[in-house]
Amino acid sequence: MVQELIDISISDLMTDVNRVACVDPDNSLEHALLVLVKSGYSAIPVLSRNGMVQGTISKTLILDSILGLERIEFEHLADRKVKDSMNTDVTTIQLGESFVRALELAVNAPFLCVEDDAGRFVGILTRSAMLQRIHRYVKM
Amino acid sequence: MVQELIDISISDLMTDVNRVACVDPDNSLEHALLVLVKSGYSAIPVLSRNGMVQGTISKTLILDSILGLERIEFEHLADRKVKDSMNTDVTTIQLGESFVRALELAVNAPFLCVEDDAGRFVGILTRSAMLQRIHRYVKM
Ligand SMILES: Nc1ncnc2c1ncn2[C@@H]1O[C@@H]2COP(=O)(O)O[C@H]3[C@@H](O)[C@H](n4cnc5c(N)ncnc54)O[C@@H]3COP(=O)(O)O[C@H]2[C@H]1O
Ligand SMILES: Nc1ncnc2c1ncn2[C@@H]1O[C@@H]2COP(=O)(O)O[C@H]3[C@@H](O)[C@H](n4cnc5c(N)ncnc54)O[C@@H]3COP(=O)(O)O[C@H]2[C@H]1O
Protein backbone atom coordinates (compact mmCIF):
# COMPACT_ATOMS: atom_id res chain seq x y z
CA MET A 1 0.00 0.00 0.00
CA VAL A 2 2.38 2.75 1.22
CA GLN A 3 4.90 1.44 -1.34
CA GLU A 4 2.70 2.89 -4.09
CA LEU A 5 3.18 6.38 -2.63
CA ILE A 6 6.88 5.85 -2.08
CA ASP A 7 7.49 4.80 -5.71
CA ILE A 8 6.09 7.98 -7.31
CA SER A 9 8.73 9.70 -9.48
CA ILE A 10 9.30 13.44 -9.21
CA SER A 11 9.39 13.98 -12.98
CA ASP A 12 5.81 12.57 -13.26
CA LEU A 13 4.41 15.20 -10.87
CA MET A 14 6.44 18.31 -11.64
CA THR A 15 5.49 21.44 -13.63
CA ASP A 16 7.95 21.60 -16.54
CA VAL A 17 10.29 24.63 -16.74
CA ASN A 18 8.47 25.87 -19.88
CA ARG A 19 5.31 26.37 -17.86
CA VAL A 20 6.93 28.06 -14.87
CA ALA A 21 6.70 31.85 -14.55
CA CYS A 22 10.11 33.21 -13.54
CA VAL A 23 12.23 36.38 -13.59
CA ASP A 24 15.88 37.37 -14.00
CA PRO A 25 18.01 38.64 -11.04
CA ASP A 26 18.64 41.92 -12.90
CA ASN A 27 14.95 42.71 -13.47
CA SER A 28 13.50 45.63 -11.49
CA LEU A 29 11.19 44.90 -8.56
CA GLU A 30 8.50 46.75 -10.52
CA HIS A 31 8.79 44.24 -13.39
CA ALA A 32 8.79 41.31 -10.95
CA LEU A 33 5.67 42.64 -9.17
CA LEU A 34 3.83 42.98 -12.48
CA VAL A 35 4.75 39.35 -13.43
CA LEU A 36 3.55 38.18 -10.00
CA VAL A 37 0.29 40.14 -10.20
CA LYS A 38 -0.46 39.12 -13.79
CA SER A 39 0.31 35.41 -13.14
CA GLY A 40 -1.52 35.44 -9.81
CA TYR A 41 1.29 33.53 -8.09
CA SER A 42 2.54 34.43 -4.60
CA ALA A 43 6.14 33.49 -5.33
CA ILE A 44 8.15 32.44 -8.40
CA PRO A 45 11.72 31.28 -9.10
CA VAL A 46 14.56 33.65 -10.11
CA LEU A 47 16.67 32.08 -12.87
CA SER A 48 20.08 33.20 -14.16
CA ARG A 49 20.72 33.32 -17.93
CA ASN A 50 22.42 29.88 -17.76
CA GLY A 51 19.31 28.22 -16.32
CA MET A 52 20.33 27.88 -12.67
CA VAL A 53 18.02 28.87 -9.79
CA GLN A 54 19.37 31.94 -7.99
CA GLY A 55 16.48 32.42 -5.57
CA THR A 56 12.74 33.04 -5.29
CA ILE A 57 10.86 36.35 -5.28
CA SER A 58 7.42 36.92 -3.81
CA LYS A 59 4.83 39.66 -3.35
CA THR A 60 5.66 39.49 0.37
CA LEU A 61 9.40 40.11 -0.18
CA ILE A 62 8.78 42.95 -2.65
CA LEU A 63 6.22 44.72 -0.43
CA ASP A 64 8.40 44.14 2.65
CA SER A 65 11.38 45.80 0.99
CA ILE A 66 9.39 49.00 0.32
CA LEU A 67 7.46 49.08 3.63
CA GLY A 68 8.18 52.43 5.29
CA LEU A 69 7.16 53.53 8.80
CA GLU A 70 3.83 55.05 7.73
CA ARG A 71 3.04 53.56 4.33
CA ILE A 72 4.23 51.29 1.52
CA GLU A 73 6.68 53.41 -0.51
CA PHE A 74 5.83 52.24 -4.02
CA GLU A 75 7.99 54.88 -5.72
CA HIS A 76 11.09 52.78 -4.87
CA LEU A 77 9.95 49.80 -6.99
CA ALA A 78 11.56 50.99 -10.22
CA ASP A 79 15.05 51.61 -8.83
CA ARG A 80 15.43 48.32 -6.93
CA LYS A 81 16.47 44.98 -8.48
CA VAL A 82 15.20 41.43 -7.90
CA LYS A 83 18.65 40.28 -6.79
CA ASP A 84 18.61 42.84 -3.92
CA SER A 85 15.36 41.45 -2.42
CA MET A 86 15.10 37.80 -3.45
CA ASN A 87 15.25 34.89 -1.00
CA THR A 88 18.40 32.92 -1.75
CA ASP A 89 17.51 30.04 0.60
CA VAL A 90 15.71 28.03 -2.10
CA THR A 91 14.20 24.61 -1.35
CA THR A 92 15.49 22.36 -4.15
CA ILE A 93 15.24 18.66 -4.92
CA GLN A 94 17.05 16.50 -7.50
CA LEU A 95 15.07 14.64 -10.19
CA GLY A 96 16.19 11.23 -8.88
CA GLU A 97 15.20 11.82 -5.24
CA SER A 98 12.20 10.11 -3.62
CA PHE A 99 8.61 11.25 -3.16
CA VAL A 100 9.05 10.83 0.61
CA ARG A 101 11.90 13.34 0.55
CA ALA A 102 9.75 15.73 -1.54
CA LEU A 103 6.96 15.35 1.05
CA GLU A 104 9.35 16.21 3.88
CA LEU A 105 10.54 19.36 2.08
CA ALA A 106 7.00 20.42 1.11
CA VAL A 107 5.96 20.69 4.77
CA ASN A 108 7.71 24.07 4.88
CA ALA A 109 7.83 25.12 1.20
CA PRO A 110 4.80 25.85 -1.05
CA PHE A 111 6.85 24.53 -3.99
CA LEU A 112 10.22 22.84 -4.61
CA CYS A 113 12.64 23.77 -7.39
CA VAL A 114 13.63 20.60 -9.26
CA GLU A 115 17.19 20.29 -10.63
CA ASP A 116 18.91 17.74 -12.89
CA ASP A 117 22.30 16.07 -12.13
CA ALA A 118 24.13 19.10 -13.54
CA GLY A 119 22.24 21.43 -11.17
CA ARG A 120 20.14 22.97 -13.95
CA PHE A 121 16.57 24.03 -13.15
CA VAL A 122 14.07 21.65 -14.85
CA GLY A 123 10.75 22.59 -13.17
CA ILE A 124 8.87 22.96 -9.88
CA LEU A 125 7.02 20.45 -7.71
CA THR A 126 3.95 22.05 -6.14
CA ARG A 127 2.05 21.07 -3.00
CA SER A 128 -1.17 20.80 -5.04
CA ALA A 129 0.38 18.16 -7.34
CA MET A 130 1.56 16.15 -4.33
CA LEU A 131 -1.74 16.46 -2.46
CA GLN A 132 -3.67 15.37 -5.56
CA ARG A 133 -1.55 12.22 -5.79
CA ILE A 134 -1.90 11.49 -2.05
CA HIS A 135 -5.65 11.98 -2.18
CA ARG A 136 -5.91 9.47 -5.04
CA TYR A 137 -3.90 6.98 -2.96
CA VAL A 138 -6.02 7.40 0.20
CA LYS A 139 -9.31 7.16 -1.67
CA MET A 140 -8.51 3.82 -3.25
CA MET B 1 -2.23 1.36 7.61
CA VAL B 2 -4.27 3.87 5.57
CA GLN B 3 -6.87 3.75 8.34
CA GLU B 4 -4.45 5.70 10.52
CA LEU B 5 -4.52 8.59 8.03
CA ILE B 6 -8.28 8.39 7.61
CA ASP B 7 -8.94 8.61 11.38
CA ILE B 8 -7.11 11.95 11.91
CA SER B 9 -9.48 14.57 13.38
CA ILE B 10 -9.59 18.07 11.95
CA SER B 11 -9.53 19.77 15.35
CA ASP B 12 -6.15 18.09 16.13
CA LEU B 13 -4.50 19.64 13.06
CA MET B 14 -6.12 23.05 12.77
CA THR B 15 -4.75 26.51 13.70
CA ASP B 16 -7.11 27.90 16.37
CA VAL B 17 -9.06 31.10 15.56
CA ASN B 18 -7.04 33.03 18.18
CA ARG B 19 -3.85 32.46 16.17
CA VAL B 20 -5.35 33.31 12.78
CA ALA B 21 -4.64 36.75 11.28
CA CYS B 22 -7.88 38.13 9.82
CA VAL B 23 -9.60 41.39 8.82
CA ASP B 24 -13.10 42.91 8.84
CA PRO B 25 -15.10 43.42 5.60
CA ASP B 26 -15.31 47.18 6.32
CA ASN B 27 -11.55 47.64 6.67
CA SER B 28 -9.78 49.59 3.89
CA LEU B 29 -7.63 47.70 1.40
CA GLU B 30 -4.70 49.73 2.72
CA HIS B 31 -5.25 48.30 6.23
CA ALA B 32 -5.65 44.77 4.84
CA LEU B 33 -2.43 45.08 2.79
CA LEU B 34 -0.49 46.22 5.87
CA VAL B 35 -1.83 43.23 7.89
CA LEU B 36 -0.85 40.88 5.03
CA VAL B 37 2.63 42.39 4.67
CA LYS B 38 3.33 42.47 8.40
CA SER B 39 2.10 38.87 8.95
CA GLY B 40 3.85 37.62 5.82
CA TYR B 41 0.80 35.63 4.73
CA SER B 42 -0.42 35.52 1.10
CA ALA B 43 -4.09 35.33 2.02
CA ILE B 44 -6.16 35.55 5.22
CA PRO B 45 -9.83 35.13 6.21
CA VAL B 46 -12.32 38.01 6.35
CA LEU B 47 -14.55 37.66 9.42
CA SER B 48 -17.76 39.53 10.22
CA ARG B 49 -18.33 40.90 13.72
CA ASN B 50 -20.45 37.86 14.66
CA GLY B 51 -17.56 35.46 13.85
CA MET B 52 -18.71 34.10 10.48
CA VAL B 53 -16.35 33.84 7.49
CA GLN B 54 -17.35 36.34 4.78
CA GLY B 55 -14.46 35.66 2.40
CA THR B 56 -10.69 35.70 2.01
CA ILE B 57 -8.43 38.58 0.98
CA SER B 58 -4.97 38.23 -0.51
CA LYS B 59 -2.08 40.34 -1.77
CA THR B 60 -2.99 39.14 -5.26
CA LEU B 61 -6.61 40.34 -5.00
CA ILE B 62 -5.61 43.72 -3.55
CA LEU B 63 -2.90 44.37 -6.15
CA ASP B 64 -5.19 43.12 -8.94
CA SER B 65 -7.91 45.56 -7.95
CA ILE B 66 -5.54 48.54 -8.29
CA LEU B 67 -3.69 47.32 -11.41
CA GLY B 68 -4.04 50.04 -14.06
CA LEU B 69 -2.97 49.85 -17.74
CA GLU B 70 0.54 51.21 -17.16
CA ARG B 71 1.21 50.80 -13.43
CA ILE B 72 -0.19 49.70 -10.08
CA GLU B 73 -2.32 52.61 -8.86
CA PHE B 74 -1.53 52.54 -5.14
CA GLU B 75 -3.32 55.80 -4.40
CA HIS B 76 -6.67 53.94 -4.60
CA LEU B 77 -5.85 51.66 -1.64
CA ALA B 78 -7.21 54.00 1.02
CA ASP B 79 -10.63 54.57 -0.55
CA ARG B 80 -11.47 50.92 -1.32
CA LYS B 81 -12.87 48.41 1.18
CA VAL B 82 -12.06 44.73 1.79
CA LYS B 83 -15.65 43.71 1.03
CA ASP B 84 -15.34 45.21 -2.50
CA SER B 85 -12.32 43.04 -3.43
CA MET B 86 -12.50 39.91 -1.27
CA ASN B 87 -13.04 36.41 -2.69
CA THR B 88 -16.41 35.18 -1.41
CA ASP B 89 -15.91 31.61 -2.73
CA VAL B 90 -14.32 30.35 0.49
CA THR B 91 -13.26 26.71 0.87
CA THR B 92 -14.76 25.62 4.23
CA ILE B 93 -14.95 22.36 6.13
CA GLN B 94 -16.95 21.37 9.23
CA LEU B 95 -15.15 20.20 12.39
CA GLY B 96 -16.71 16.73 12.19
CA GLU B 97 -15.73 16.02 8.57
CA SER B 98 -13.02 13.54 7.63
CA PHE B 99 -9.31 14.03 6.91
CA VAL B 100 -9.87 12.51 3.45
CA ARG B 101 -12.42 15.23 2.67
CA ALA B 102 -9.93 17.86 3.94
CA LEU B 103 -7.26 16.35 1.66
CA GLU B 104 -9.59 16.55 -1.34
CA LEU B 105 -10.35 20.24 -0.66
CA ALA B 106 -6.68 21.10 0.00
CA VAL B 107 -5.68 20.08 -3.53
CA ASN B 108 -7.00 23.44 -4.74
CA ALA B 109 -6.93 25.59 -1.59
CA PRO B 110 -3.80 26.61 0.38
CA PHE B 111 -5.92 26.56 3.56
CA LEU B 112 -9.46 25.56 4.61
CA CYS B 113 -11.69 27.62 6.90
CA VAL B 114 -13.01 25.35 9.67
CA GLU B 115 -16.55 25.93 10.99
CA ASP B 116 -18.53 24.45 13.91
CA ASP B 117 -22.11 23.06 13.66
CA ALA B 118 -23.52 26.57 14.01
CA GLY B 119 -21.42 27.79 11.05
CA ARG B 120 -19.10 29.85 13.26
CA PHE B 121 -15.43 30.16 12.21
CA VAL B 122 -13.20 28.14 14.64
CA GLY B 123 -9.85 28.11 12.81
CA ILE B 124 -8.00 27.19 9.60
CA LEU B 125 -6.53 23.91 8.37
CA THR B 126 -3.31 24.55 6.42
CA ARG B 127 -1.60 22.39 3.78
CA SER B 128 1.59 22.39 5.88
CA ALA B 129 -0.20 20.82 8.86
CA MET B 130 -1.70 18.14 6.61
CA LEU B 131 1.59 17.42 4.80
CA GLN B 132 3.42 17.13 8.13
CA ARG B 133 0.93 14.50 9.29
CA ILE B 134 1.12 12.59 5.98
CA HIS B 135 4.91 12.65 6.02
CA ARG B 136 4.94 11.17 9.54
CA TYR B 137 2.61 8.40 8.31
CA VAL B 138 4.68 7.55 5.22
CA LYS B 139 7.95 7.50 7.13
CA MET B 140 6.78 4.93 9.68
N1 LIG C 1 -3.35 30.15 -11.89
C1 LIG C 1 -3.76 29.20 -11.03
N2 LIG C 1 -4.51 28.17 -11.45
C2 LIG C 1 -4.93 27.21 -10.59
N3 LIG C 1 -4.64 27.18 -9.27
C3 LIG C 1 -3.90 28.17 -8.80
C4 LIG C 1 -3.42 29.23 -9.63
N4 LIG C 1 -2.71 30.06 -8.86
C5 LIG C 1 -2.74 29.55 -7.62
N5 LIG C 1 -3.48 28.43 -7.57
C6 LIG C 1 -3.77 27.61 -6.39
O1 LIG C 1 -3.41 28.35 -5.22
C7 LIG C 1 -2.30 27.71 -4.61
C8 LIG C 1 -1.37 28.71 -4.03
O2 LIG C 1 -0.83 29.48 -5.05
P1 LIG C 1 0.36 30.45 -4.76
O3 LIG C 1 0.50 31.38 -5.89
O4 LIG C 1 0.16 31.05 -3.38
O5 LIG C 1 1.66 29.52 -4.64
C9 LIG C 1 2.16 28.85 -5.79
C10 LIG C 1 3.17 29.66 -6.60
O6 LIG C 1 3.93 30.48 -5.72
C11 LIG C 1 4.06 28.57 -7.20
N6 LIG C 1 3.64 28.20 -8.56
C12 LIG C 1 2.68 27.30 -8.89
N7 LIG C 1 2.62 27.15 -10.24
C13 LIG C 1 3.56 27.99 -10.75
C14 LIG C 1 4.03 28.28 -12.10
N8 LIG C 1 3.50 27.72 -13.20
N9 LIG C 1 5.04 29.18 -12.26
C15 LIG C 1 5.61 29.76 -11.17
N10 LIG C 1 5.23 29.52 -9.88
C16 LIG C 1 4.22 28.65 -9.68
O7 LIG C 1 3.90 27.42 -6.38
C17 LIG C 1 3.02 27.69 -5.29
C18 LIG C 1 2.22 26.47 -4.98
O8 LIG C 1 1.37 26.12 -6.03
P2 LIG C 1 0.22 25.07 -5.83
O9 LIG C 1 -0.26 24.64 -7.17
O10 LIG C 1 0.65 24.00 -4.85
O11 LIG C 1 -0.94 25.82 -5.05
C19 LIG C 1 -1.69 26.84 -5.70
C20 LIG C 1 -2.91 26.36 -6.43
O12 LIG C 1 -3.55 25.34 -5.68
N1 LIG D 1 5.03 33.09 9.45
C1 LIG D 1 5.30 31.86 8.95
N2 LIG D 1 5.93 30.94 9.70
C2 LIG D 1 6.21 29.71 9.19
N3 LIG D 1 5.89 29.30 7.95
C3 LIG D 1 5.29 30.18 7.17
C4 LIG D 1 4.94 31.49 7.61
N4 LIG D 1 4.32 32.11 6.62
C5 LIG D 1 4.28 31.24 5.59
N5 LIG D 1 4.87 30.08 5.92
C6 LIG D 1 5.05 28.91 5.07
O1 LIG D 1 4.75 29.29 3.73
C7 LIG D 1 3.56 28.61 3.32
C8 LIG D 1 2.75 29.49 2.45
O2 LIG D 1 2.33 30.61 3.16
P1 LIG D 1 1.24 31.57 2.54
O3 LIG D 1 1.24 32.82 3.32
O4 LIG D 1 1.47 31.68 1.05
O5 LIG D 1 -0.16 30.82 2.70
C9 LIG D 1 -0.72 30.62 4.00
C10 LIG D 1 -1.59 31.76 4.50
O6 LIG D 1 -2.28 32.34 3.39
C11 LIG D 1 -2.61 31.03 5.37
N6 LIG D 1 -2.22 31.05 6.80
C12 LIG D 1 -1.39 30.19 7.43
N7 LIG D 1 -1.29 30.47 8.73
C13 LIG D 1 -2.11 31.53 8.94
C14 LIG D 1 -2.50 32.30 10.12
N8 LIG D 1 -2.02 32.05 11.34
N9 LIG D 1 -3.39 33.32 9.97
C15 LIG D 1 -3.92 33.59 8.74
N10 LIG D 1 -3.60 32.90 7.60
C16 LIG D 1 -2.71 31.90 7.71
O7 LIG D 1 -2.62 29.67 4.97
C17 LIG D 1 -1.73 29.48 3.87
C18 LIG D 1 -1.09 28.12 3.97
O8 LIG D 1 -0.26 28.03 5.11
P2 LIG D 1 0.75 26.83 5.25
O9 LIG D 1 1.19 26.79 6.67
O10 LIG D 1 0.15 25.59 4.66
O11 LIG D 1 1.97 27.15 4.31
C19 LIG D 1 2.86 28.22 4.61
C20 LIG D 1 4.04 27.85 5.48
O12 LIG D 1 4.53 26.58 5.12
Side-chain angles (χ1 to χ4, degrees):
Chain A
M1 275 298 269
V2 181
Q3 198 56 39
E4 224 185 289
L5 257 188
I6 291 173
D7 292 339
I8 300 169
S9 84
I10 287 179
S11 56
D12 285 349
L13 288 184
M14 78 179 197
T15 306
D16 184 80
V17 57
N18 301 320
R19 292 175 37 228
V20 176
C22 43
V23 287
D24 185 286
D26 288 317
N27 286 152
S28 72
L29 283 188
E30 185 170 66
H31 171 75
L33 190 59
L34 279 174
V35 170
L36 283 163
V37 176
K38 293 210 163 122
S39 69
Y41 296 124
S42 302
I44 57 176
V46 179
L47 293 189
S48 65
R49 298 249 162 70
N50 62 351
M52 314 293 258
V53 181
Q54 305 289 298
T56 57
I57 191 72
S58 67
K59 288 175 180 130
T60 298
L61 282 170
I62 295 175
L63 293 170
D64 248 350
S65 70
I66 55 172
L67 183 65
L69 286 174
E70 299 282 311
R71 46 180 280 279
I72 297 175
E73 297 162 356
F74 298 102
E75 57 282 7
H76 293 310
L77 280 177
D79 52 10
R80 303 234 172 121
K81 293 218 181 301
V82 167
K83 63 183 170 205
D84 304 326
S85 298
M86 69 186 182
N87 167 17
T88 53
D89 176 19
V90 184
T91 310
T92 62
I93 192 164
Q94 307 299 314
L95 265 174
E97 289 193 72
S98 72
F99 181 73
V100 177
R101 175 67 181 142
L103 200 53
E104 183 177 3
L105 292 172
V107 169
N108 291 308
F111 67 90
L112 313 179
C113 287
V114 184
E115 296 177 335
D116 63 16
D117 302 347
R120 261 197 311 276
F121 177 74
V122 289
I124 62 170
L125 184 54
T126 62
R127 280 178 172 171
S128 62
M130 296 171 74
L131 285 164
Q132 193 166 25
R133 198 64 189 75
I134 294 162
H135 177 250
R136 212 185 306 155
Y137 162 73
V138 176
K139 267 190 70 163
M140 261 146 60
Chain B
M1 276 295 272
V2 183
Q3 197 56 40
E4 222 185 288
L5 259 189
I6 292 172
D7 291 338
I8 301 169
S9 84
I10 287 177
S11 57
D12 285 350
L13 290 183
M14 78 179 197
T15 306
D16 184 80
V17 57
N18 301 320
R19 291 176 38 227
V20 177
C22 44
V23 287
D24 185 286
D26 288 315
N27 287 151
S28 73
L29 282 188
E30 186 169 51
H31 173 77
L33 190 59
L34 280 173
V35 169
L36 283 163
V37 175
K38 293 210 165 125
S39 69
Y41 295 127
S42 303
I44 58 176
V46 179
L47 294 190
S48 64
R49 299 252 162 70
N50 61 352
M52 315 291 257
V53 180
Q54 305 287 298
T56 57
I57 190 73
S58 66
K59 288 175 181 129
T60 298
L61 282 171
I62 295 174
L63 292 170
D64 246 349
S65 72
I66 54 172
L67 184 65
L69 287 174
E70 298 281 311
R71 45 179 280 278
I72 296 176
E73 298 161 354
F74 298 103
E75 57 282 6
H76 293 311
L77 278 178
D79 51 12
R80 303 237 172 118
K81 294 217 180 302
V82 167
K83 64 182 172 206
D84 304 326
S85 297
M86 70 187 181
N87 167 16
T88 53
D89 177 20
V90 185
T91 309
T92 62
I93 192 164
Q94 306 299 312
L95 265 174
E97 289 193 73
S98 71
F99 181 73
V100 178
R101 174 70 181 140
L103 200 51
E104 184 177 358
L105 292 171
V107 170
N108 291 308
F111 66 90
L112 314 179
C113 286
V114 185
E115 297 177 332
D116 64 15
D117 301 344
R120 261 196 312 276
F121 177 75
V122 289
I124 60 170
L125 183 54
T126 62
R127 280 179 172 172
S128 62
M130 296 172 73
L131 285 164
Q132 196 165 22
R133 199 60 190 75
I134 294 162
H135 178 249
R136 213 186 305 156
Y137 162 74
V138 175
K139 267 190 71 159
M140 263 145 58

